[in-house]
Amino acid sequence: MNLKEMVGIEAAGYVKDGMVVGLGTGSTAYYMIEELGRRVKEEQLSIIGVPTSFASKKQAESLGIPVRTIDEVDVVDLTIDGADEISSDYHGIKGGGAALLFEKIVATYSKKVLWIVDESKMVDTLGAFPLPVEVIPYGSQQVFNLFEKKGYQPKLRTAEDGTPVKTDCHNYIIDLHLQSITDPEALAADLDSTVGVVEHGLFLDMVHTIIVGQPDGPAASHVRE
Ligand code: 5RP
């Protein structure tokens, strides 16, 4: 069993009967959704899933997990998602899979957020992983130029055929190759106030519990109540 599968299965154990569960996106969240599907089928677990991408929605439906959008539920009890980096003070970068907008919305309206990662994602300081920023296509060249002027080392995310990657909301992703983010709050405030930016992948003070996959087993840390 690989580390992503280990933490995916472990995290699915946090889900209780009757919960509304935010279903993250990515190769780690994949295993968590598979395990929830197994529990729905074999243990008659009764849950509602709120997917954070079309890919997770498709997977959940294929497993028989009933799904709703974030606007069709009152509140999400627990969201389980992956992350690209987690700093020593428990801030995160997300969006490597281009699903950061739905992921942040679902996490924001969740009572609890649980991140599942393998140990390679734990870092002292964020930024070695390029920070994804979702932008509206209209004016995106101007936003790109602005990022360049600010020294943010932007790169438009493209598919294999060279065309821009489009998110589930048909936006573009500009990845900022910052190397080190020493003041994530200031950077988040700057991006939040940039016209044309829809959302960015800095998830600050959002996580409650982290499960880290290590060769000797999963290690859970409770970060905040
Ligand atoms: C998708 C995400 C993912 O959670 C993040 O990229 C981690 O993915 P993986 O589990 O495949 O390493 O933020 O937008």
Side-chain angles (χ1 to χ4, degrees), residues 4 24-30 52-53 81-85 93-101 103 115-118 121 129 132 157 201 203:
K4 291 184 176 194
T25 296
S27 56
T28 316
Y30 168 88
T52 55
S53 62
D81 202 350
D84 297 303
E85 274 185 350
I93 285 182
K94 288 184 46 54
L100 65 104
L101 178 57
E103 289 173 339
W115 284 344
I116 45 176
V117 292
D118 63 64
K121 309 282 188 74
F129 190 92
R157 197 182 296 183
F203 282 51

Side-chain angles (χ1 to χ4, degrees), residues 81-99:
D81 202 350
D84 297 303
E85 274 185 350
I86 303 176
S87 63
S88 49
D89 51 359
Y90 305 115
H91 295 322
I93 285 182
K94 288 184 46 54

